Amino acid sequence: MQYIFKNSPPSIAALLLQCAAFIFILLTVKITGAHASPLLLAWLCGLLASIFSYFSGLAIWWLLIQLLFAPTLVLMLGAGLPPNLFLVAFLILVLVYWGTFRTQVPLYLSSDKVWHALERVLPPEQADQRFAFLDLGSGLGGVLTHLAQVRPDGSYVGVEAAPLPFLLSWLRIRLGCFHNSRVLWADMWNCDLSQYEVVFAYLSPVPMEKLWLKARAEMRTGTLFISSTFAVPDQSPHETVPVDDLHRSTLLIWHM
Ligand SMILES: C[S@@+](CC[C@H](N)C(=O)[O-])C[C@H]1O[C@@H](n2cnc3c(N)ncnc32)[C@H](O)[C@@H]1O
């Protein structure tokens, strides 16, 4: 199925479809005068939202989210949990996932096997010569702090848009005394890539085409652009490094 909400992110489309299913069920109950438990109505609402989502071309995992959303809501309300708990959980999720509904790049972390694979593709050590490394969307700073430890001849910069991961990675760098690393709370699209010998990205399929254009426009000849796992449409990498981790990650490397 083709995605039909071309100008809206999937999260907004999913919410609209969930509302449409809810209105449909509500009108049906009103018109027919049918009686059913709130949980049964919630399951019907979820089922209908999933069907709408399927025909709207949403990705497969959205169908499951749509199916479970209303029944989970009813079950949670029935559990009588304190309302503040929901507020706190919501705020934590907002601080971690920040602009994900817009960027479609959520937080998930590279494995330590990816960190080790990265180690091996960094520029070779040379006396009196440092290299600059940028992690676009640096998450909790694991890539930066690992490389800063094993290759102290580099300068490591992370850029992270979500406040809580930024804060945690900032603390990790501060408390760990990684003097050759820093993390910026910023939007990666405002970064100047010409400053770096290595630019690393572990994002999602969505921004790769735009990011490739930015890298081509800004990165200097002889530098490295590395994407973990996510390909650039129509651009074969010059090297690939398969990583034997849980996600079957691959480093895709371009010599600019
Ligand atoms: C898949 S995680 C990768 C984390 C880390 N680089 C690693 O390999 O473990 C992607 C991160 O990019 C961040 N992000 C997404 N869009 C961004 C943007 N426009 N500017 C800065 N960070 C962004 C997300 O908040 C998320 O933390």
Side-chain angles (χ1 to χ4, degrees):
M1 290 287 160
Q2 187 114 35
Y3 181 60
I4 61 170
F5 290 86
K6 288 275 182 270
N7 296 323
S8 307
S11 48
I12 300 291
L15 186 64
L16 290 175
L17 295 169
Q18 193 67 236
C19 291
F22 178 73
I23 291 169
F24 186 89
I25 296 290
L26 202 70
L27 286 178
T28 309
V29 169
K30 266 235 178 273
I31 292 165
T32 61
H35 289 283
S37 70
L39 189 57
L40 178 60
L41 291 177
W43 277 116
L44 290 174
C45 186
L47 188 64
L48 197 59
S50 288
I51 294 170
F52 287 168
S53 303
Y54 173 76
F55 286 107
S56 304
L58 281 181
I60 193 88
W61 56 86
W62 278 108
L63 308 191
L64 188 66
I65 295 172
Q66 294 288 61
L67 176 69
L68 298 180
F69 181 76
T72 311
L73 209 63
V74 170
L75 288 172
M76 292 301 272
L77 287 174
L81 297 171
N84 286 346
L85 199 70
F86 294 101
L87 181 64
V88 171
F90 174 73
L91 288 178
I92 291 175
L93 288 176
V94 167
L95 291 174
V96 172
Y97 290 104
W98 204 239
T100 301
F101 76 95
R102 185 176 40 83
T103 62
Q104 296 182 58
V105 182
L107 172 71
Y108 32 79
L109 304 176
S110 298
S111 64
D112 55 352
K113 289 188 175 169
V114 165
W115 304 349
H116 289 291
L118 270 174
E119 242 175 270
R120 293 188 280 275
V121 297
L122 291 180
E125 278 184 68
Q126 287 179 30
D128 297 334
Q129 210 167 331
R130 298 186 71 78
F131 65 90
F133 177 101
L134 176 67
D135 184 0
L136 292 168
S138 47
L140 302 183
V143 171
L144 299 174
T145 51
H146 174 79
L147 294 179
Q149 242 166 339
V150 296
R151 284 294 301 272
D153 57 323
S155 302
Y156 301 91
V157 178
V159 52
E160 176 54 54
L164 196 54
F166 161 75
L167 184 65
L168 293 175
S169 56
W170 183 84
L171 283 172
R172 187 176 189 172
I173 287 168
R174 272 291 160 115
L175 299 176
C177 297
F178 294 101
H179 299 296
N180 53 351
S181 304
R182 66 198 167 101
V183 63
L184 311 170
W185 185 22
D187 186 342
M188 67 178 184
W189 299 112
N190 297 332
C191 276
D192 176 6
L193 305 186
S194 68
Q195 317 272 320
Y196 301 93
E197 275 70 43
V198 185
V199 173
F200 171 71
Y202 179 38
L203 298 167
S204 85
V206 177
M208 291 314 294
E209 191 165 4
K210 185 175 167 194
L211 183 57
W212 171 253
L213 295 177
K214 181 173 168 64
R216 281 300 300 267
E218 296 176 16
M219 289 183 71
R220 284 175 284 117
T221 309
T223 57
L224 294 179
F225 175 66
I226 306 173
S227 168
S228 174
T229 304
F230 301 111
V232 176
D234 305 324
Q235 297 296 335
S236 303
H238 299 125
E239 276 178 70
T240 56
V241 179
V243 179
D244 182 22
D245 63 4
L246 210 61
H247 318 290
R248 298 260 164 257
S249 309
T250 306
L251 296 184
L252 310 167
I253 305 172
W254 286 267
H255 298 265
M256 306 301 277

